[in-house]
Amino acid sequence: MNAPTMNAQTTATSAVDAPAPYRRAAVIGAGVIGISWAGLFLAHGMDVVVSDPRPGVQEQVLAGLDEIAPALAELGLPAENLSARLRFEADPATAVADADVVQENGPERLPVKQQIWQVVEQAAPAHALLATSTSGIPATAIAEAMRQPERLVVGHPFNPPHLVPLVEIVPGERTSEQTLRRAHAFYTALGKKPQILRKEVPGFVANRLQSALFRECVHLVAEGVVTEAELDEIVTDSIGLRWAAAGPFRTFHLGGGPGGLPHFIQHLGRAMEASWPGLGAPSFDEPTVALLTEQAEQAFGDAPVHELAARRDRAQIALMRALDKTSGARARA
Amino acid sequence: MNAPTMNAQTTATSAVDAPAPYRRAAVIGAGVIGISWAGLFLAHGMDVVVSDPRPGVQEQVLAGLDEIAPALAELGLPAENLSARLRFEADPATAVADADVVQENGPERLPVKQQIWQVVEQAAPAHALLATSTSGIPATAIAEAMRQPERLVVGHPFNPPHLVPLVEIVPGERTSEQTLRRAHAFYTALGKKPQILRKEVPGFVANRLQSALFRECVHLVAEGVVTEAELDEIVTDSIGLRWAAAGPFRTFHLGGGPGGLPHFIQHLGRAMEASWPGLGAPSFDEPTVALLTEQAEQAFGDAPVHELAARRDRAQIALMRALDKTSGARARA
């Protein structure tokens, strides 16, 4: 594991230098994802300009930063006075004028993103790294109206960006190698675990896997095999634990005994392949949505979502500590 | 969380009383699963008879117990002299003659299992709990030739049983409520997290979910979007971590904001549903198997499987400690 140089001498409480050469970030769009990115950038010592035309955005961002500060602190990052290096600028061209990196989190609509990037490209410095957080729109499409489409890359975080290590770096057809390398270095310096995808594919990787599994989850609950709460426990007590420690290929490599994955495929993989056509094909029709809604109330109705999320995040930070995946752990390394 | 009474006063090093009223276990079939069950039963203070007609089975079982003893100790269980309360009996009828519980791990072939259970049912005491570890054959089919099919239940562990918390308890059509309750109490007393499925369904739940996700994994690697090693890192750095802390339904409930799962379904679920037909439908054809084999060599060829498995198991025990899921943690509670 390569500890980013910037963290090598820091402790959990000392200030962290900004990831050179990225000292100034512009965060375009300040919903949940944008606020989380802003918090992470600030905790890593960057100056941040937030640009979002919605009324009340300043209050929302400040409240959001207060909410994520404890998690940043638990990750071993300095999380006090985050807003000291934060400013707001409604006009995106002005916001990016001296940015080293632009992270865009606008609405998931192609025309909106195209328009944002036309403006940003022309207003940002020539050296700025240009990344979109889109979870599904290909960089190729967003960059169609750009003069230098080689500069745009998808930097898709797994929500929330300040907490989950993964960032999927997805090139568009014209994204340059240099842009990919710079994006990888930037997110790595922030303590993230970026992965560069080799091809642009709808939904990228993590969300496709999540979607494939959830489809079967919906099927099994709709069929009455288990309830939502029971299925969740089954996952956290088996495959969830497994996949936190080792991914699906490694898991089946180990399941193959001394012969590893090839042995697994020849013996158990064939049976698995034969079972694929029998997997469920549910839909969110009215009875299914009614059932899922009723069971969600039973399973999760005991506390407001933000409280359940805070509990989950604390559990996840404990797991990351156990796996040495926190920024603090890296700083100590 | 209900700490089993038997553990309430124990520490990691003291002896553990057998889970009353289950003092004597018969383990039929001593492959990897059988050895793991035997080790767990012994570590919980039970007397164990292993029955397996294969030559050399004694040496294999003793070597296997030595291999899993460190993990049992790390889980907070007494793991010294496990074989002191172990004996071998090739004839299954003799092996089960005074058993309180029979856990069968024979070959995954229906006629073999039917034959085993015909013999076991008649030779075991009337009070004995009768469970099969089958990962895919319905109890209904296995029990067809039994006189009292209400006594048989599937107790399907996730491999290895001594380490992964989940046990899927799957009733056959004629399994009695009493048998289900007893199986649940037995596995709970062993520190496992049993789940009673409401319906018999091929592959049960955890393996169906695993299969659904792995299908998409194979597709993405076969399409060249990522390598096996990259995909594994994506999973451990995102959905794996998430699902160790919260299952898929809870995760999307939290992803729905204040409106929870219903809001998630209405907004993001519809897009997910639309994406389901676009998920991959790979097969283990020759080029795919060749690619998977080559990448497995690159990704996992640095150490023998048993060494990689030991590393993974250590990581998983660290995760279970972080989540307070070890027997030791329960004993301390």
Side-chain angles (χ1 to χ4, degrees):
Chain A
M1 221 175 295
N2 297 317
T5 316
M6 62 176 207
N7 269 340
Q9 302 300 325
T10 62
T11 68
T13 48
S14 74
V16 174
D17 289 335
Y22 303 100
R23 303 199 55 86
R24 288 174 297 273
V27 171
I28 311 293
V32 173
I33 300 289
I35 292 172
S36 172
W37 275 129
L40 184 71
F41 296 161
L42 290 165
H44 276 273
M46 299 180 75
D47 296 333
V48 175
V49 183
V50 165
S51 180
D52 191 317
R54 288 174 302 146
V57 72
Q58 299 205 18
E59 291 69 26
Q60 284 172 39
V61 170
L62 294 173
L65 290 177
D66 282 348
E67 206 169 299
I68 68 174
L72 290 168
E74 284 192 62
L75 288 170
L77 294 168
E80 288 178 18
N81 295 320
L82 288 180
S83 57
R85 275 170 284 101
L86 172 68
R87 64 185 178 90
F88 294 89
E89 179 55 68
D91 175 50
T94 312
V96 304
D98 64 353
D100 300 315
V101 56
V102 180
Q103 185 81 37
E104 171 268 315
N105 325 276
E108 286 286 282
R109 294 196 298 276
L110 179 58
V112 178
K113 288 205 187 285
Q114 286 181 328
Q115 197 202 340
I116 290 172
W117 280 107
Q118 265 191 303
V119 171
V120 167
E121 179 190 30
Q122 293 176 44
H127 73 275
L129 175 64
L130 308 181
T132 170
S133 297
T134 181
S135 62
I137 307 179
T140 302
I142 299 174
E144 261 168 19
M146 287 174 68
R147 293 184 193 173
Q148 297 179 292
E150 66 273 17
R151 294 182 64 192
L152 184 70
V153 69
V154 170
H156 173 234
F158 208 75
N159 191 30
H162 69 275
L163 186 55
V164 180
L166 176 68
V167 180
E168 289 175 304
I169 299 177
V170 192
E173 284 168 16
R174 294 185 286 176
T175 306
S176 71
E177 279 295 326
Q178 193 201 9
T179 299
L180 292 176
R181 278 197 305 275
R182 295 180 69 211
H184 192 273
F186 172 64
Y187 294 123
T188 301
L190 290 170
K192 310 313 293 178
K193 294 291 290 293
Q195 281 291 338
I196 300 177
L197 272 52
R198 291 158 192 266
K199 269 189 191 173
E200 208 171 37
V201 60
F204 314 142
V205 170
N207 277 343
R208 286 180 75 98
L209 298 179
Q210 183 161 242
S211 175
L213 185 123
F214 195 61
R215 185 186 202 183
E216 186 63 19
C217 294
V218 171
H219 169 72
L220 290 167
V221 169
E223 290 293 309
V225 177
V226 277
T227 65
E228 287 176 14
E230 289 163 353
L231 186 140
D232 274 0
E233 287 195 28
I234 284 174
V235 169
T236 54
D237 286 329
S238 62
I239 47 185
L241 265 183
R242 275 292 192 227
W243 291 333
F249 285 107
R250 182 174 289 260
T251 295
F252 284 143
H253 182 71
L254 305 184
L261 190 70
H263 185 85
F264 172 86
I265 292 171
Q266 290 308 329
H267 292 262
L268 300 173
R270 299 291 170 194
M272 184 184 280
E273 182 178 6
S275 79
W276 284 339
L279 293 175
S283 69
F284 289 123
D285 54 22
E286 208 178 304
T288 302
V289 172
L291 180 72
L292 295 176
T293 300
E294 185 195 331
Q295 290 195 2
E297 176 58 35
Q298 288 165 7
F300 316 120
D302 58 323
V305 166
H306 70 89
E307 198 178 308
L308 298 176
R311 276 185 221 164
R312 187 265 318 265
D313 288 352
R314 281 195 296 273
Q316 193 188 308
I317 290 169
L319 294 175
M320 291 169 67
R321 281 197 176 135
L323 294 171
D324 228 28
K325 280 192 179 185
T326 61
S327 297
R330 287 168 188 227
R332 286 189 300 274
Chain B
M1 221 176 296
N2 297 316
T5 316
M6 62 175 210
N7 269 340
Q9 302 299 325
T10 62
T11 69
T13 50
S14 73
V16 174
D17 290 334
Y22 303 100
R23 302 198 57 86
R24 287 174 297 272
V27 171
I28 311 294
V32 174
I33 300 288
I35 292 171
S36 172
W37 274 129
L40 185 70
F41 295 162
L42 290 164
H44 276 273
M46 299 179 75
D47 296 333
V48 174
V49 184
V50 165
S51 180
D52 191 317
R54 288 175 301 146
V57 72
Q58 298 205 19
E59 291 68 27
Q60 284 172 39
V61 170
L62 294 173
L65 290 177
D66 282 349
E67 206 168 298
I68 69 174
L72 290 169
E74 284 192 63
L75 289 170
L77 293 168
E80 288 179 18
N81 295 319
L82 287 180
S83 57
R85 275 170 283 100
L86 171 69
R87 63 186 179 89
F88 294 88
E89 179 54 69
D91 175 51
T94 312
V96 305
D98 64 353
D100 299 317
V101 57
V102 180
Q103 184 81 39
E104 172 267 317
N105 324 278
E108 287 285 283
R109 294 195 297 277
L110 179 58
V112 178
K113 288 207 188 282
Q114 284 181 328
Q115 197 202 341
I116 290 172
W117 281 107
Q118 265 191 303
V119 170
V120 168
E121 180 191 29
Q122 293 177 43
H127 73 275
L129 174 64
L130 307 181
T132 171
S133 297
T134 181
S135 63
I137 307 179
T140 303
I142 299 174
E144 261 168 20
M146 286 175 68
R147 293 184 192 173
Q148 297 179 290
E150 66 273 17
R151 294 182 63 191
L152 185 70
V153 70
V154 170
H156 173 235
F158 209 76
N159 190 28
H162 68 275
L163 187 55
V164 180
L166 177 66
V167 180
E168 289 176 303
I169 299 176
V170 192
E173 284 168 16
R174 294 185 287 178
T175 306
S176 70
E177 279 294 325
Q178 193 201 7
T179 300
L180 293 176
R181 278 198 304 275
R182 294 181 69 210
H184 193 273
F186 172 63
Y187 294 122
T188 301
L190 290 169
K192 310 313 292 179
K193 295 288 292 291
Q195 280 290 339
I196 301 177
L197 272 53
R198 292 160 191 265
K199 268 188 191 173
E200 209 171 38
V201 60
F204 314 142
V205 170
N207 277 342
R208 287 181 74 99
L209 298 180
Q210 183 161 242
S211 176
L213 184 124
F214 194 61
R215 185 187 203 182
E216 186 63 20
C217 294
V218 172
H219 170 72
L220 290 167
V221 169
E223 290 293 309
V225 178
V226 278
T227 65
E228 288 176 13
E230 290 163 352
L231 185 139
D232 274 1
E233 286 195 29
I234 285 174
V235 169
T236 54
D237 286 329
S238 62
I239 47 185
L241 265 184
R242 275 292 192 225
W243 291 333
F249 285 106
R250 183 176 289 260
T251 295
F252 284 143
H253 182 71
L254 305 185
L261 190 69
H263 185 84
F264 173 85
I265 292 171
Q266 290 308 328
H267 293 262
L268 300 173
R270 300 289 171 195
M272 184 184 280
E273 183 178 6
S275 79
W276 285 339
L279 292 175
S283 69
F284 289 123
D285 55 22
E286 208 178 304
T288 302
V289 171
L291 181 72
L292 295 176
T293 300
E294 185 196 331
Q295 290 195 4
E297 176 59 34
Q298 289 165 6
F300 316 120
D302 58 323
V305 166
H306 70 89
E307 199 177 308
L308 298 176
R311 277 185 221 163
R312 187 265 317 265
D313 288 352
R314 281 195 296 274
Q316 193 188 308
I317 289 169
L319 294 176
M320 291 170 66
R321 282 199 175 134
L323 294 171
D324 227 27
K325 280 192 179 184
T326 61
S327 297
R330 288 167 188 232
R332 287 189 300 273

